[in-house]
Amino acid sequence: SQTIHQWPATLVQPVGSPLSLECTVEGTSNPNLYWYRQAAGRGLQLLFYSVGIGQISSEVPQNLSASRPQDRQFILSSKKLLLSDSGFYLCAWSGDSLGDQPQHFGDGTRLSIL
Amino acid sequence: GEDVEQSLFLSVREGDSSVINCTYTDSSSTYLYWYKQEPGAGLQLLTYIFSNMDMKQDQRLTVLLNKKDKHLSLRIADTQTGDSAIYFCAEDSNSGYALNFGKGTSLLVTP
């Protein structure tokens, strides 16, 4: 069966420091991969998605970037964190058919910026 | 952009049925989804319904879809304290990749 792992589970970082969050998927090949941020108001905002290695689409302009160095690995990064980057970051995967596969989420990373 | 609307809170007694409602705006959505989020955890896919269906039942869960009114509901029969969580409604978006989520309904089940 397919599983998705995110780490770390929690992270406290100072303003201006770099960031690297990692997500890996097991048990499937060529998944679509997603990064979401869930702010305090509970809504989820799609940040990036990827349909293949090296293919990244950004949904909103921001201080973050994403990379997909391997088929089942998705990384969320920043060179310099801002206070506004605090939030709950969720990685998700779905099958490789456009629009007709449910998304499955990891357990999330709670990021606090001080 | 499209908005998915949900009421923010619902409180029910253990053993009663819970009904969580959702309205969406994108009539071209192919699938509509219900996710559950427990405190500090990620989102768990509960169930989803194809847009040409009116109803889907899965054990204690019943999903009703009124496509004309763009209304989706999730009924939980015999609600238990372990059902306390935030429930998110979501629809496929025009881009085909993103899901549009509501802000979630916080369900509190009291003994």
Side-chain angles (χ1 to χ4, degrees):
Chain A
S1 65
Q2 301 89 357
T3 57
I4 179 168
H5 304 280
Q6 277 187 251
W7 67 94
T10 59
L11 190 59
V12 180
Q13 292 283 96
V15 169
S17 63
L19 173 74
S20 181
L21 303 181
E22 192 160 342
C23 172
T24 58
V25 180
E26 296 176 0
T28 186
S29 58
N30 197 34
N32 292 332
L33 297 172
Y34 310 83
W35 278 111
Y36 286 86
R37 176 167 55 206
Q38 185 178 28
R42 297 189 297 180
L44 278 84
Q45 180 184 40
L46 179 66
L47 302 176
F48 301 95
Y49 68 88
S50 171
V51 300
I53 296 174
Q55 300 179 61
I56 307 294
S57 295
S58 174
E59 288 291 298
V60 294
Q62 61 206 302
N63 183 42
L64 302 167
S65 61
S67 61
R68 185 169 177 175
Q70 300 180 45
D71 182 44
R72 288 167 289 175
Q73 183 185 29
F74 206 23
I75 297 172
L76 184 68
S77 303
S78 174
K79 292 181 180 177
K80 278 189 175 183
L81 285 166
L82 306 172
L83 281 174
S84 58
D85 292 323
S86 292
F88 191 48
Y89 289 83
L90 290 156
C91 181
W93 74 273
S94 68
D96 61 359
S97 298
L98 175 65
D100 62 357
Q101 298 277 352
Q103 294 181 17
H104 304 273
F105 286 80
D107 288 334
T109 295
R110 176 81 52 196
L111 176 64
S112 299
I113 309 300
L114 304 180
Chain B
E2 294 79 15
D3 287 329
V4 177
E5 301 283 345
Q6 301 178 241
S7 54
L8 292 183
F9 299 101
L10 177 64
S11 180
V12 300
R13 289 192 179 274
E14 191 174 17
D16 289 349
S17 292
S18 307
V19 179
I20 302 170
N21 294 301
C22 169
T23 57
Y24 62 97
T25 56
D26 187 354
S27 59
S28 65
S29 292
T30 305
Y31 288 91
L32 295 126
Y33 306 87
W34 284 105
Y35 285 86
K36 175 184 180 182
Q37 186 178 34
E38 296 183 359
L43 274 70
Q44 173 195 356
L45 178 67
L46 280 181
T47 186
Y48 59 103
I49 188 168
F50 189 49
S51 58
N52 70 351
M53 297 172 64
D54 297 325
M55 185 181 83
K56 180 178 179 181
Q57 186 150 5
D58 183 1
Q59 299 181 346
R60 291 191 297 122
L61 304 179
T62 303
V63 179
L64 295 178
L65 175 61
N66 181 329
K67 200 169 179 183
K68 174 177 170 290
D69 294 338
K70 298 191 186 71
H71 183 264
L72 183 74
S73 68
L74 174 69
R75 179 177 181 269
I76 306 173
D78 187 24
T79 314
Q80 303 298 306
T81 54
D83 294 325
S84 292
I86 300 176
Y87 291 80
F88 290 90
C89 170
E91 62 173 354
D92 294 329
S93 73
N94 283 336
S95 73
Y97 290 106
L99 295 182
N100 289 329
F101 285 87
K103 286 189 169 14
T105 298
S106 183
L107 175 64
L108 176 65
V109 183
T110 57

